[in-house]
Amino acid sequence: MTAGSPKHQIDTSKPHPARVYDYLLGGKDHYLVDRELGEKLDDFIRVGAEQNRAFMHRAVAWAAHQGISQYLDIGTGIPTEPNLHQIVQKIIPAARVVYADNDPIVLRHAEALLVSAPEGATHYIQADVREPELILDHARKFLDFSRPIALSLIAIMHFILDEEDPHAIVRELVGRLPSGSCLILAQASLDSFPEAEEHVASTYSSHIPFQPRPRAEIVPFFDGLDLVEPGVVTGPEWFKDTPAPAITPYPGYVGVALVP
């Protein structure tokens, strides 16, 4: 495995999404400031983090079973087993995976934890999703853009505010992918928790730029693509060729779509 060069020192004075997510998932790679924020959040947000991981596992396994052997995972977060490459390399041992995240603590753990199967390979880039061209330039050195690639954007686009044009970022990323590629996306929404809007705004959003979106604003992330059934649904409602997950309230929507 190779890794990009760190751009920033770890800032422990304010919470970071990757470290708060680690806390919500029961990890140990976070700081007091992250834990303090995580403890203020409603329990449904913790459950949502767990469901995000479960959806990612189901979606990338489905993609691997379709024969996709290359993956670009942006907003990787602190490694939590099983990681994406561990899921897909069980199905395609020679799969190649590029991870990207903007938190230096993720880089600190990447070399130790993102260890590929012998037949495959993993690569890590320290970069922000707001830098799609930078990510793509690095990914081109490692992935073959003449063959299908699965782009994973799990719980990342809600950290991109409307003024940063999140839909344009996704269009740029997807627009460089070859036919047969797929987009796997999960985005926070409070459609099912309208009573929690004030709480989320006063806790999470007051520390970390965060924009949950209604379903009508999430569907356009898949414009121009062929949505895979069951379409844009809540996390527990998306499954293929596996037992149905327990349907529990989920603060967001997910979807998988193919590049025509």
Side-chain angles (χ1 to χ4, degrees), residues 132-153:
E133 191 56 49
L134 173 64
I135 293 174
L136 291 167
D137 284 346
H138 279 282
R140 286 189 189 97
K141 300 173 184 177
F142 195 75
L143 303 177
D144 179 358
F145 274 65
S146 70
R147 297 190 297 110
I149 296 169
L151 170 63
S152 173
L153 298 173

Side-chain angles (χ1 to χ4, degrees), residues 157 159-167 211-213 217 221:
M157 298 314 296
F159 298 118
I160 310 302
L161 305 181
D162 281 349
E163 54 264 34
E164 299 172 293
D165 204 345
H167 294 94
Q211 188 160 351
R213 295 183 168 92
E217 295 179 10
F221 283 120

Side-chain angles (χ1 to χ4, degrees), residues 172-245:
E172 181 168 0
L173 289 165
V174 172
R176 308 299 178 89
L177 302 180
S179 177
S181 296
C182 74
L183 170 64
I184 299 170
L185 183 144
Q187 148 87 48
S189 175
L190 295 178
D191 281 359
S192 298
F193 302 90
E195 72 286 353
E197 289 184 8
E198 184 176 342
H199 167 76
V200 172
S202 64
T203 54
Y204 199 91
S205 301
S206 65
H207 294 280
I208 296 172
F210 176 70
Q211 188 160 351
R213 295 183 168 92
R215 185 179 183 278
E217 295 179 10
I218 297 172
V219 171
F221 283 120
F222 301 97
D223 282 354
L225 305 178
D226 297 328
L227 271 168
V228 174
E229 290 294 334
V232 179
V233 295
T234 68
E237 294 176 304
W238 199 100
F239 59 96
K240 307 286 287 185
D241 306 321
T242 59

Side-chain angles (χ1 to χ4, degrees), residues 4 24 60-61 83 85 93 96 100 118 126 133 151 165 169 203 207 218 222 236 247 250:
L24 294 174
V60 300
N83 295 296
H85 70 279
R96 299 174 70 85
Q126 188 177 343
E133 191 56 49
L151 170 63
D165 204 345
I169 292 172
T203 54
H207 294 280
I218 297 172
F222 301 97
I247 303 299
Y250 172 77

